[in-house]
Amino acid sequence: MTDRALVVVRCGALTTVQDRGRPGYAHLGVPRSGVLDPPAAALVNRLVGNPPDSAVLETTLNGCAVRPRSTLTVAVGGAPCPVTVGGRPVGWGAPVVVPAGELLEVGAAVAGVRSYLAVAGGIAVEPVLGSRATDLLSGLGPAPLTDGTVLPLGAPSGPPARVDVAPQPGPPAELVLRVTPGPRDDWFTTRAVRDLSTRGYRVSSASNRIGLRTEGPALERARSGELPSEGMVRGAVQVPPDGRPVVFLADHPTTGGYPVIAVVRAADLPAAAQAVPGTPVRFVPVHRR
């Protein structure tokens, strides 16, 4: 029987297995998790003939290197990066055949943060609560990859796409986040609410899969004390005691006690996954309930 598996040769700064996540378990304290840039993951899955919910590898900044035990088709997308097979450059954003035993190198991102590697058949680690996603907050799913990890692969389900290269949006030069004000904007002064949409912020290097942290003017509260813990959603703009907004991403906690001044539209969150530290951030109010 063909040995359908990948051996991790270089795990990189942070490489995890991700799929669409595990929605529906927030009442148990389990966040959805899943890929931070769903359109990029869906595209590379389509390029290799996978269903859109197949598990992929999500790399962070400096990529990873893997060696397949059998010949297979792969595609790399998301953050633009060099891709090589056996030391020879191959296409980014396109299906590529990797012979058994050859080294596939996903290089460092030349723009953006997270690249995605899809393999025909998908990464077939054991699902937990219906998902193969690594959740850094709860610890569910497979651990972040380490050198020497062996990843099982599923059987291919369809032919690869017939394209030379698939167009993909570039990482943002400015991160524009449309927000719905509230539900706790009344916990902040009128000036703070105005500052959120008129003052300049930047992506902090302390950002991770849990949240995109910002640097910029502190938002002043109109109320002292703390809220009782309440439910949190992806895209919630929570303001901790230092006053700098944090945008919750895939691995966010399901409850929190700091006030949420606004919520980011879901369509704008993939760009947040690719915003490098220092990227200007602009919050744009679009609707009030």
Side-chain angles (χ1 to χ4, degrees):
M1 179 179 291
T2 302
D3 187 1
R4 289 191 55 78
L6 286 179
V7 179
V8 177
V9 177
R10 182 179 66 83
C11 62
L14 176 65
T15 301
T16 57
V17 177
Q18 298 294 341
D19 57 17
R20 286 179 165 179
R22 45 183 70 85
Y25 295 99
H27 64 294
L28 300 177
V30 177
R32 177 169 181 159
S33 190
V35 294
L36 288 190
D37 188 345
L43 177 58
V44 292
N45 267 325
R46 188 161 65 249
L47 289 173
V48 299
N50 286 344
D53 57 349
S54 299
V56 300
L57 297 185
E58 179 183 276
T59 73
T60 308
L61 292 176
N62 68 346
C64 68
V66 296
R67 194 182 304 276
R69 289 180 172 174
S70 60
T71 299
L72 45 76
T73 301
V74 307
V76 177
C81 62
V83 184
T84 62
V85 173
R88 300 178 300 277
V90 297
W92 172 88
V96 173
V97 174
V98 182
E102 289 280 16
L103 183 69
L104 167 65
E105 179 83 24
V106 179
V110 297
V113 178
R114 294 171 174 92
S115 299
Y116 291 89
L117 167 62
V119 179
I123 308 297
V125 296
E126 192 68 24
V128 178
L129 295 178
S131 170
R132 296 180 166 91
T134 299
D135 180 348
L136 298 183
L137 185 65
S138 72
L140 293 177
L145 301 190
T146 57
D147 295 352
T149 299
V150 178
L151 296 169
L153 304 176
S157 58
R162 296 183 176 181
V163 296
D164 293 326
V165 64
Q168 301 180 51
E174 179 187 40
L175 182 59
V176 178
L177 300 176
R178 294 169 295 172
V179 297
T180 300
R184 300 297 181 185
D185 52 331
D186 59 339
W187 276 60
F188 297 89
T189 64
T190 301
R191 178 178 177 178
V193 173
R194 183 175 63 250
D195 283 350
L196 180 69
S197 60
T198 60
R199 301 285 298 276
Y201 288 88
R202 291 186 178 275
V203 175
S204 167
S205 60
S207 301
N208 54 28
R209 282 185 49 86
I210 295 170
L212 181 144
R213 295 182 177 274
T214 64
E215 299 170 345
L219 300 180
E220 182 184 16
R221 285 196 192 180
R223 300 189 189 184
S224 58
E226 297 299 337
L227 284 162
S229 288
E230 55 187 2
M232 292 290 148
V233 297
R234 187 184 304 205
V237 184
Q238 192 183 66
V239 183
D242 69 2
R244 273 76 183 184
V246 178
V247 179
F248 277 165
L249 301 179
D251 291 355
H252 69 85
T254 57
T255 62
Y258 299 139
V260 172
I261 192 170
V263 178
V264 176
R265 292 286 179 94
D268 295 345
L269 292 175
Q274 301 295 359
V276 300
T279 299
V281 181
R282 184 155 53 94
F283 295 97
V284 180
V286 292
H287 175 68
R288 173 176 283 278
R289 288 187 291 270

